[in-house]
Each structure stands twice: as structure tokens, then as C-alpha cells.
Amino acid sequence: MQFILTANTDPVRLKLVRDRTRMLKQGWPWVYRDWLAETPNAPAGSRVVLHDKDNSIVGFGMYDPIGPLAVRMCAAGERLNDELILSRLDTALSLRRALFDERTTGYRLIAGEGDGLPGLTCDLYADHAVLKLDGDAPAGFWDVEAIADWLADRLSITNVFLKYRSDAKTRGRAVRGPMPAGPVQFVENGIRFQADLVQGQKTGFFFDQRENRARIGQLANGRQVLNLFAYTGGFSIYAGMNGATDVTSVDLAKPAMEEADRNWALNGLPPDHHHAIAADAFEFLEQAKAQKRTWDLIVVDPPSFAPAERHVVKATASYQSLFTAALNVLSPGGIIALSSCSSHISQAMFYDICETAVSKARRQATILGVHGQPADHPFPLICRELQYLKFILLRVR
Ligand code: SAH
């Protein structure tokens, strides 16, 4: 199998002007444009041979002639070839085989940089795989046909869908098998879900919150639950399956709310115990406060408010006011989960945001747990930028 599209063309030779060798050898995954002496005009996805200031080879990667990340490193101290890629793919698979059994058939099989396969994501939904390529360099580098062959060989998967970025003109294309015609069913911790791989957000489901959904399940018995930014109801169904008396899901996207109702029904839960509301979460909270409504367990899992570094100040204020508004409708002694998926908000910043929100709501909180992303979303130790998910559980007086 040949996994690298540009394997047969000459690699681009680049030279570092900064001393970053140690970092790169420790697994730092990117080379920024201003670390390099020259950035020649070559096709996106060309292979790169990276040299240090003294001209020794530091490693190999893939090239982006335009963006701020000029090189994504594939190998430092190892040769970049198909055997290396094959061993990275097989290592990724053996980790997931250790993590999951037949009770969880939806998960992230390949997590880009975290699995040493930069810019390549593969999510599994039972017998369907969804591939995503993060930008022009990965799109020019990875041979998705070869990845599909590997999926067929190792997992007998014959339905492979390549999903394009959300700003692309079309949603994606079938690499193997037909385009997914409707939602695909899978299980997570034995709970049934279905996801729309083509029209849904990301690849169709947010696997990164799996363990946090289970945590909410543990705490849900006998409680009235509010799930804000619920998407297709992940947290809601876990709460319902674990004895919540009543669950309200809120999301701006109407199709997601319809899907949440279907996921609820898929698990045989009583329809009148789930209220799926297509609304803006900020407005919903304002009205709920005016009506003096409260819930005993609230999940707040908004989209990233800081997609880039320059948004951080504004995003911090938005998270704070959102969390305060949610705390205002939490019953005394209630539990709230506050989450952020923005890589630009660090764990330390997130603690501060939560603290300010609790103080502004004039409440007092105890931390029950501080969590993040699960092991099928790994990241290099040296690159905490890729530890994007934060999830803090609080009991609030
Ligand atoms: N908690 C979900 C994932 C949430 S993703 C899960 O476990 O699957 C973030 C969601 O926020 C998306 O579904 C998006 O439609 C929704 N969203 C974005 N802006 C919103 C707003 N202002 N009010 C309500 N929902 C919003």
C-alpha cells in the first residue's frame, strides 16, 4: 500500500533558521513559516526533508507553501516511508482495540498528530468510516484510497466517506461504497445512537465527550436535567438512560433537535420525558430565569468561542456570561458541567473563567472532577495546544 500521494516526486529541502531541533525530536508536530530560511513554491502536500542550521537532517514532513504552518512533521529521527505510516496506522488501531469492545462501535480511530498521522482524522461509526483532511497539505499528501484499502483489510470496512471542510461547496465524496443514504447507527457504552455523516456537524457525532457523557449518566438519577448546546442529544440520552426524571435539550440547530428526539426514542425512553427545544441557548436561559425555572443537573457544552488566538478576550467574556446565566437556573445543591473545546483557552484560563462565573452568580462551588478528552483523542505531551477539551464538574450551593 502506498499511503503518500507525493512519494514519487522530489521532496522539498528546507532549512531551519531557529534552533528547534530538540522540540521537534520530542514530538512537536509543526514548523512555522518564520522558523525557515526559505519557503519555496512547491505543491501543497510535497514531502519535506528538514535540515537544521548545520545541515544535518532533523526529520521529514509535508509541505504547505501558503499557510502559517509550513511543515507538519511526520517523522523526526525516523525515515518517512510507507512502512512507517503502516505501523502508525496499526498502532492507532491496536490502541482502539484495547479501549473499546462491542459496546462502543463509534469512536475516533485516527486522531491526526496524536497518532503521528498529521492532518488525518478517521471516525468509525460501526461499519462506516468518515475521513477528514485538515487543510491543503494533508489533502495533497494522504492517499485516501490507500487508507480505505487499509480499513478494508484490517476492519473489513467497505463504506468510506471523505468529508470536506464545512466551508466547502459540497459535503464530501464516497471513497468506497455508496454515499451514506441516511443516518448510520452505532453504540456508545451500550447506548444506541444514529448520526448523519453527510449533513451532520463535524463527522456526525462528538466522540470526544464520550467519557464525560458517562460521568453525567452517573449523576443523573432522580434529577431534572438541562443539556445546553445538546446537538443530537448525547448527554441527554445518557441522563435518560440513567434515571433522570426529565431532560430538556436545547440547540440552535433544528435538525439536531429532531435527531435528539430520535436518539431518545431509539433507546426506548418515554417520549414525554424529553423536551427538545430549537433555540438560542443565551435567550433560552434569559427566559428560564425570568420564569424562575431551575434544574438539578446542567450541562453547558458550547461550540468554540475562540477559533483563533485573537478571539480569546471576547471568548473569555462570552464563556463567563454564558456560565453565569446557566448557574442562575441551577437549583441549590445542583451539579453543573462546564465545558470548552477551544484550544486557545488553556486549562488555567478555564479555571479562572469558571471561578468568575460562579462569583458573578453569587454562588459557591466545589469541584467534583476536572476532565478532558478521552484516549482515542491523544496528543503529543509537548503540544498541549492539542489538548483542546476541558470539562469541569461542579456542585454548587
Ligand atoms: N454536547 C454535544 C456537542 C455540542 S457541539 C454532544 O455531546 O454531542 C455545539 C452545539 O452548539 C452545536 O450543535 C451547535 O448547533 C450548537 N449551537 C451553536 N450556537 C448555539 C447557540 N447560540 N445556542 C444554542 N446552540 C448553539
Side-chain angles (χ1 to χ4, degrees), residues 55-357:
N55 257 336
S56 335
I57 292 181
V58 179
F60 304 86
M62 66 178 83
Y63 189 50
D64 183 342
I66 296 161
L69 293 186
V71 184
R72 287 166 186 256
M73 295 299 288
C74 299
E78 283 172 290
R79 286 210 78 80
L80 172 59
N81 53 32
D82 288 313
E83 286 80 72
L84 180 77
I85 301 302
L86 182 61
S87 85
R88 298 258 172 96
L89 288 166
D90 285 340
T91 302
L93 174 59
S94 72
L95 172 66
R96 277 61 175 188
R97 285 205 162 127
L99 292 171
F100 305 116
D101 57 18
E102 70 290 343
R103 287 169 45 81
T104 299
T105 58
Y107 54 84
R108 180 148 292 183
L109 176 63
I110 301 169
E113 277 77 349
D115 284 302
L117 299 161
L120 175 68
T121 303
C122 178
D123 282 350
L124 283 196
Y125 295 83
D127 58 351
H128 281 67
V130 184
L131 299 175
K132 263 194 117 172
L133 298 167
D134 178 24
D136 292 340
F141 182 85
W142 293 113
D143 187 339
V144 292
E145 307 291 331
I147 308 283
D149 288 341
W150 176 81
L151 286 164
D153 184 65
R154 298 294 199 264
L155 289 147
S156 304
I157 282 184
T158 50
N159 293 290
V160 182
F161 177 61
L162 174 63
K163 188 137 186 191
Y164 298 156
R165 290 157 60 130
S166 56
D167 55 1
K169 284 196 196 76
T170 53
R171 304 315 301 259
R173 72 172 171 92
V175 181
R176 283 287 186 290
M179 280 283 279
V184 173
Q185 292 202 7
F186 61 97
V187 286
E188 185 184 274
N189 293 317
I191 297 179
R192 298 176 69 181
F193 286 101
Q194 61 178 38
D196 187 332
L197 311 187
V198 181
Q199 300 299 333
Q201 298 184 35
K202 306 282 173 167
T203 68
F205 202 68
F206 291 87
F207 293 133
D208 55 359
Q209 292 281 26
R210 176 191 317 106
E211 291 177 356
N212 298 328
R213 286 192 274 268
R215 293 186 171 99
I216 291 301
Q218 284 183 321
L219 297 164
N221 190 34
R223 289 183 190 260
Q224 285 202 302
V225 179
L226 173 61
N227 181 11
L228 296 166
F229 307 90
Y231 187 45
T232 55
F235 286 101
S236 306
I237 319 299
Y238 273 72
M241 292 297 280
N242 286 283
T245 51
D246 168 278
V247 180
T248 300
S249 303
V250 179
D251 198 287
L252 202 50
K254 195 156 181 278
M257 286 293 82
E258 290 164 2
E259 198 72 48
D261 269 332
R262 278 194 287 271
N263 282 328
W264 184 270
L266 206 55
N267 289 283
L269 292 165
D272 51 330
H273 290 193
H274 185 231
H275 320 285
I277 300 171
D280 175 85
F282 292 85
E283 286 172 17
F284 175 88
L285 286 171
E286 226 167 86
Q287 281 176 18
K289 187 186 176 199
Q291 293 163 359
K292 298 205 163 36
R293 294 184 64 186
T294 57
W295 288 266
D296 321 306
L297 175 58
I298 301 181
V299 179
V300 196
D301 179 26
S304 173
F305 291 159
E309 190 63 45
R310 64 180 187 282
H311 300 127
V312 164
V313 173
K314 218 174 134 212
T316 300
S318 303
Y319 284 119
Q320 264 166 21
S321 64
L322 172 66
F323 293 167
T324 304
L327 283 154
N328 284 336
V329 298
L330 182 69
S331 56
I335 291 173
I336 190 165
L338 303 174
S339 192
S340 162
C341 59
S342 171
S343 58
H344 301 283
I345 304 285
S346 68
Q347 189 79 40
M349 288 156 82
F350 195 62
Y351 272 113
D352 288 343
I353 289 170
C354 295
E355 208 179 300
T356 309

